[in-house]
């Protein structure tokens, strides 16, 4: 398929839909819009290629921590994933091939950053600002996600470090790490992947840990050629494998990772055995043992992280960082850790990512102001006062237990229903404030006894006030039930 002139809008034309971001969400939305004949349609993307987070995170060892047959679009299947957990280049290639196969490339305007949008009530359209000029669109679908503003720690003296210093999400491939003294700050999902790779080449690696993560065995493995051939020949076999993985996560991980239950204790015991097997030294093991409940922070999976920490060229430093100097890191006990390179594996500024969307809605209200009491959206997708604006992977739709791709697919379905209402004659579709309030009350009630609030830790899932505005507090099946089809009574058509 190639894009028709109808779909590829000229610069001055009002788009039917503008999609922001060419990652998993934006591409999924664009494919479905094309299939539904929606256009003119354009995707703007700040980078120079598709892939979103999978384009940006190129640190050594970057890979998915959800099995690939599950972490892929159901309507863009791939039979020949090479590993159980595909590495980043393979996922990015998958997204590029998917975009090409579905004829999306001519619709994507690369190198274009969304800087804000203002709703024009009289004309019922959005005036969008980008660094490459304005765009008009009847509807905007944000595929920007929340994990793309690297968070740097607020450590005194950070700017004074003399050597190269970079974030895992902005890896500097020009820096040769071989033989160097490298400091890694942070021990989250990115760190457990990058640390084993750095440890292989570093002269010395000092890992600065503030909180030890819970880590389960990964059991990653190459997928046999015969299995790939079978999945190619018999698509049903691949679909069965996907369903098996989905239900495994949906039941076991949901019950064990989202609320304190018997399964939480069992998962903790498994993780402790994993640690004990890999780290016989009791002092090191003690440093690596979490003191909060499993699931409170994202549960990590790795088979090579603990062994990496046993290497003679690796030190696990648990003293708090006092400051950074030109030469390295000083911990609060006064010890100086001289370094050549600092790697920040310190995660993302999720709340700021959403709040920074400079969006002015129907009554001149800014989205950030609508969210002074915390981020929130109906089904995580729409916000009262912001007609014809839809978010994919918006507030409260992240997951700690299953593949977020399944959430994206539900949201794409929901947005398509809304776009269809616009095609059928409505000028605007906007969630009713009372429907949004009801939805958010339901979320907050479910959140109260979740492991993220009650598990004894502080994570990026919570905002400054301690509210969880990032994760969905229920199963994927429950989200499907809640959001897949639009309840028109919850929306106002203008
Ligand atoms: P993260 O989970 O937010 O971890 C950040 C780490 O930096 C934590 O260990 C944190 O310690 C530490 N840190 C932050 N500020 C610090 C400071 N001032 N001093 C010392 N330590 C500090 O970030 P991430 O590892 O990049 O992962 C973010 C999310 O991205 C994940 O939860 C996941 O959703 C996604 N991700 C997914 C994959 C995948 O395989 N699919 C891979 C990577 C990332 P504390 O724990 O004490 O706060």
């Amino acid at each position: 398929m190639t894009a028709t002139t109808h779909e590829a809008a000229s610069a001055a034309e009002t788009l039917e839909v503008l999609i922001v971001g060419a990652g998993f969400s934006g591409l999924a939305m664009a494919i479905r819009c094309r299939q539904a004949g929606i256009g003119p349609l354009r995707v703007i993307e700040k980078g120079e290629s598709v892939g979103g987070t999978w384009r940006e995170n190129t640190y050594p060892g970057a890979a998915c921590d959800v099995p690939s047959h599950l972490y892929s679009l159901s309507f863009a299947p791939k039979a020949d994933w090479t590993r159980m957990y595909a590495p980043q280049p393979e996922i990015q290639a998958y997204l590029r091939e998917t975009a090409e196969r579905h004829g999306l490339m001519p619709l994507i305007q690369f190198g274009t950053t969304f800087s804000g949008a203002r709703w024009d009530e009289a004309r019922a359209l959005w005036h969008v600002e980008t660094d490459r000029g304005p765009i008009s669109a009847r509807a905007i679908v944000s595929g920007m996600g929340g994990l793309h503003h690297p968070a740097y720690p607020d450590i005194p003296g950070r700017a004074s470090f003399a050597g190269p210093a970079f974030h895992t999400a902005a890896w500097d491939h020009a820096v040769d790490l071989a033989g160097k003294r490298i400091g890694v700050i942070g021990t989250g999902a990115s760190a457990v992947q990058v640390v084993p790779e750095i440890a292989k080449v570093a002269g010395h690696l000092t890992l600065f840990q503030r909180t030890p993560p819970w880590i389960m065995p990964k059991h990653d493995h190459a997928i046999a050629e015969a299995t790939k051939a079978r999945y190619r020949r018999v698509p049903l076999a691949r679909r069965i494998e996907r369903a098996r993985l989905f239900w495994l996560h949906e039941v076991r991980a949901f019950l064990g990772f989202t609320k304190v239950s018997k399964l939480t204790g069992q998962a903790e015991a498994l993780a402790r055995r994993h640690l004990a097997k890999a780290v016989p030294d009791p002092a090191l093991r003690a440093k690596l043992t979490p003191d909060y409940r499993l699931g409170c922070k994202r549960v990590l999976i790795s088979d090579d992280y603990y062994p990496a920490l046993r290497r003679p060229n690796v030190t696990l430093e648990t003293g708090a960082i006092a400051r950074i100097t030109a030469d390295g890191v000083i911990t609060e006990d006064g010890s100086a850790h001289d370094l050549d390179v600092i790697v920040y594996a310190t995660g993302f500024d999720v709340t700021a990512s959403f709040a920074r969307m400079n969006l002015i809605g129907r009554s001149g209200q800014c989205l950030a102001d609508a969210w002074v009491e915390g981020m929130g959206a109906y089904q995580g997708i729409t916000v009262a006062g912001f007609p014809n604006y839809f978010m994919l992977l918006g507030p409260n739709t992240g997951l700690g237990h299953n593949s977020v791709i399944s959430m994206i697919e539900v949201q794409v379905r929901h947005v398509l229903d809304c776009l269809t209402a616009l095609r059928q004659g409505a000028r605007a579709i906007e969630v009713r404030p009372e429907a949004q309030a009801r939805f958010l009350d339901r979320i907050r009630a479910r959140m109260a006894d979740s492991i993220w609030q009650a598990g004894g830790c502080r994570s990026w899932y919570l905002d400054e006030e301690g509210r969880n505005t990032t994760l969905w507090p229920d199963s994927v099946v429950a989200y499907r039930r809640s959001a897949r089809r639009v309840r028109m009574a919850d929306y106002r058509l203008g």
Side-chain angles (χ1 to χ4, degrees), residues 77-314:
K78 176 173 161 68
D80 58 353
W81 287 110
T82 59
R83 304 192 66 79
M84 184 72 174
Y85 298 94
Q88 172 268 334
E90 190 175 356
I91 303 171
Q92 199 196 343
Y94 161 76
L95 289 170
R96 196 175 51 244
E97 284 155 20
T98 300
E100 283 165 359
R101 187 165 340 109
H102 288 268
L104 301 185
M105 287 309 196
L107 302 178
I108 307 175
Q109 185 179 319
F110 290 105
T112 305
T113 302
F114 174 89
S115 46
R118 186 173 49 78
W119 174 249
D120 181 336
E121 180 72 11
R123 296 171 63 201
L125 52 80
W126 284 99
H127 296 291
V128 178
E129 293 300 326
T130 78
D131 58 350
R132 299 265 299 270
I135 299 172
S136 303
R138 291 193 70 204
I140 301 175
V141 183
S142 162
M144 288 187 272
L147 297 176
H148 63 118
H149 282 287
Y152 291 88
D154 199 8
I155 299 172
R158 191 164 63 76
S160 65
F161 183 63
F166 47 88
H167 194 278
T168 44
W171 196 263
D172 187 345
H173 290 274
V175 177
D176 180 11
L177 298 179
K180 301 268 167 56
R181 296 165 304 172
I182 301 158
V184 175
I185 302 179
T187 53
S190 303
V192 301
Q193 294 182 342
V194 78
V195 160
E197 297 306 313
I198 298 179
K200 285 179 197 162
V201 297
H204 195 88
L205 164 59
T206 308
L207 175 60
F208 296 91
Q209 171 187 282
R210 191 163 66 179
T211 316
W214 282 102
I215 302 180
M216 308 277 272
K218 186 167 187 182
H219 302 312
D220 188 18
H221 56 82
I223 296 178
E225 288 304 324
T227 309
K228 292 186 215 165
R230 183 157 49 85
Y231 289 160
R232 254 192 307 266
R233 261 194 338 266
V234 191
L236 179 65
R238 185 192 41 72
R239 283 205 295 275
I240 290 172
E241 170 63 358
R242 184 180 170 95
R244 183 186 73 82
L245 292 167
F246 176 82
W247 285 108
L248 196 70
H249 286 75
E250 190 68 345
V251 177
R252 207 178 54 184
F254 177 68
L255 294 175
F257 296 3
T258 62
K259 268 195 174 47
V260 178
S261 74
K262 216 168 102 191
L263 273 174
T264 313
Q266 288 171 7
E268 287 171 350
L270 177 65
R272 273 199 209 94
R273 279 199 300 278
H274 181 50
L275 170 62
K277 226 162 104 188
V279 181
D281 169 15
L284 181 58
R285 206 162 62 222
K287 288 182 178 178
L288 290 167
T289 303
D291 63 356
Y292 55 90
R293 300 309 300 263
L294 178 142
C296 186
K297 287 173 184 278
R298 187 178 172 86
V299 180
L300 309 184
I301 53 170
S302 174
D303 293 333
D304 53 3
Y305 177 71
Y306 288 143
L309 301 187
R310 289 177 56 197
R311 294 174 65 113
N313 67 332
V314 176

